[in-house]
Amino acid sequence: MAGTQNFNVSADYTIGVILCIVSFLGVTFNVISFFYFSTLETRNSTAKFFKRLYMVITCNDFLICAALFANIDAAFARERKGLLLFHPTLCTVWVFVMWVLPQMSIFLVGLLSLSRLFVLRYPTKKLNPELAWVLPLTCLIVILSLSGSLRLSDVMYPNYFPEWFSCAPSCFPADSNFQDQVSQKQVNNGMIIAIPYNVIPALSIIPISVSFILSLLSLYKSNTVAVTLNSSSRRQREAAVTVIIVTSLYILFNIPYAAFLTFILTKLSEPLPDQGITLENYIKTRITQSTNNSSVDNYLAAVVYIVNPSLNSMINPAVYFWRIQSFHSSVMSLHVCKRTKKVTPQQSNHTVTRETVA
């Protein structure tokens, strides 16, 4: 899939440096976040549900940031010809990794937002903490089963797209002759692939946005009775604000991604011209969306498909640090611990009270 193209080396290196920073900080911050939530004390089943859900979210964000190494390799490789191009097995794995993890993010953010909305609407009802891992695991099995069945049935083939710094699912083998005419079967397979990889991720922004708006309205209504809130209700509102911020960041970073997927889908759905179309032109006009602007062709997809989602995964721990006081205190105490050898036992006799995420 990597043809002769004139990529801007400086711009590629800039993308590579950004991804290096995002990967390092995202991995570090999400590891810290996971250990914080894993040791968090909870007051009830609802709090335990959100504790476990945050643990799953931090694991997924960790994997997204850790998996950037192949994209970083592509950014620094000459003509973007790196590991993903020369190792078909790695490319196949990457299709599953870099498409499953973002879709898991969609599901997890939606679950987090809808669960918090449920608690806001029905504060006396409790959530089953087992659902925090059973539902994501079920979603993961469904995604993997669907993707695996498409691959085993020769409907989906992994291909390396240098414009995207990554491998992605396509309807033709990587070793195809790009001057051959595209068959109607390949077009039909492309539409089948588009359902799990384009339609569902693009449309998922709608229920998440609706939940976000409803949560804002619920919080606004609760402000009118703020003076009557007890400490438990205040904690619920503070936790709801945290979820709203996490959801809003997800929407902010992923709207361009959803728009890009939708645009590709509209191109894929166009009928073939009467005279037919070569595979090379099919890729340019309906998959990589080639235009007359080389910057758009070579960097738009990489930014919305790779950079934006990974930035979102890196920033989430910063929200926890900002919004959850006990998390802030725990992280800050790591610096204090480095100086304990210089402090007397009486001076260091200090404990941090952890708060619930409910």
Side-chain angles (χ1 to χ4, degrees):
M1 280 303 305
T4 301
Q5 294 173 273
N6 295 319
F7 298 116
N8 186 312
V9 175
S10 298
D12 285 1
Y13 283 5
T14 300
I15 294 287
V17 170
I18 291 173
L19 292 179
C20 283
I21 295 172
V22 170
S23 181
F24 175 77
L25 294 180
V27 166
T28 303
F29 292 162
N30 278 292
V31 167
I32 294 173
S33 299
F34 178 84
F35 280 108
Y36 165 75
F37 288 117
S38 67
T39 59
L40 185 65
E41 297 178 2
T42 55
R43 293 182 172 88
N44 51 53
S45 62
T46 296
K48 185 175 291 186
F49 169 87
F50 283 106
K51 165 188 171 175
R52 292 180 178 179
L53 183 55
Y54 275 117
M55 289 173 64
V56 176
I57 291 173
T58 55
C59 280
N60 195 73
D61 286 341
F62 165 84
L63 291 174
I64 288 175
C65 294
L68 290 174
F69 75 87
N71 308 116
I72 293 171
D73 171 75
F76 287 111
R78 184 179 180 181
E79 300 259 344
R80 302 185 185 177
K81 297 178 180 180
L83 294 171
L84 292 174
L85 175 64
F86 296 112
H87 296 275
T89 301
L90 179 60
C91 186
T92 300
V93 172
W94 226 247
V95 167
F96 286 94
V97 169
M98 294 308 293
W99 286 87
V100 168
L101 292 179
Q103 294 197 58
M104 284 301 299
S105 287
I106 293 170
F107 178 83
L108 292 171
V109 171
L111 179 59
L112 178 66
S113 182
L114 291 173
S115 300
R116 181 53 60 187
L117 178 61
F118 177 84
V119 172
L120 284 172
R121 291 296 183 90
Y122 308 101
T124 60
K125 295 186 177 181
K126 302 299 180 183
L127 293 172
N128 185 343
E130 301 301 319
L131 293 177
W133 66 268
V134 170
L135 293 178
L137 180 60
T138 302
C139 177
L140 177 62
I141 293 173
V142 170
I143 294 174
L144 286 175
S145 299
L146 180 58
S147 300
S149 62
L150 290 175
R151 178 66 192 95
L152 293 174
S153 60
D154 290 331
V155 173
M156 183 270 283
Y157 299 92
N159 273 283
Y160 175 64
F161 293 91
E163 298 87 351
W164 300 356
F165 293 86
S166 185
C167 291
S170 65
C171 57
F172 52 88
D175 58 356
S176 299
N177 184 342
F178 295 157
Q179 299 308 313
D180 288 345
Q181 295 286 309
V182 175
S183 66
Q184 187 60 49
K185 180 181 178 181
Q186 288 176 318
V187 173
N188 294 339
N189 287 345
M191 292 304 300
I192 294 173
I193 296 170
I195 295 174
Y197 292 111
N198 290 69
V199 177
I200 296 176
L203 292 181
S204 63
I205 203 84
I206 296 175
I208 293 176
S209 299
V210 170
S211 175
F212 169 75
I213 294 172
L214 292 177
S215 296
L216 281 179
L217 292 175
S218 296
L219 278 180
Y220 176 78
K221 291 179 181 179
S222 69
N223 283 337
T224 61
V225 292
V227 294
T228 65
L229 293 177
N230 55 33
S231 59
S232 176
S233 298
R234 290 193 182 94
R235 285 195 301 271
Q236 295 285 0
R237 291 186 66 256
E238 289 299 312
V241 171
T242 301
V243 172
I244 286 175
I245 294 173
V246 171
T247 307
S248 64
L249 286 173
Y250 173 84
I251 294 172
L252 176 66
F253 280 108
N254 286 275
I255 279 182
Y257 178 47
F260 178 71
L261 292 178
T262 303
F263 184 65
I264 291 180
L265 182 62
T266 60
K267 291 295 184 179
L268 289 174
S269 61
E270 293 178 358
L272 291 177
D274 294 335
Q275 68 274 21
I277 183 175
T278 64
L279 184 55
E280 181 179 13
N281 289 330
Y282 180 82
I283 294 169
K284 289 181 178 179
T285 59
R286 306 194 180 195
I287 298 179
T288 60
Q289 309 299 323
S290 299
T291 66
N292 293 325
N293 189 315
S294 60
S295 297
V296 172
D297 294 345
N298 296 331
Y299 297 98
L300 176 62
V303 170
V304 301
Y305 169 49
I306 302 295
V307 178
N308 277 7
S310 57
L311 276 173
N312 190 189
S313 295
M314 182 196 74
I315 290 176
N316 280 339
V319 177
Y320 311 147
F321 179 83
W322 169 40
R323 290 293 308 169
I324 304 175
Q325 181 58 42
S326 57
F327 180 65
H328 181 278
S329 301
S330 296
V331 173
M332 295 305 295
S333 68
L334 295 176
H335 172 69
V336 176
C337 288
K338 296 179 181 179
R339 304 177 59 186
T340 54
K341 293 183 179 180
K342 300 180 181 180
V343 182
T344 63
Q346 290 78 13
Q347 290 175 312
S348 61
N349 186 20
H350 174 71
T351 58
V352 176
T353 301
R354 294 176 179 260
E355 298 173 356
T356 178
V357 293

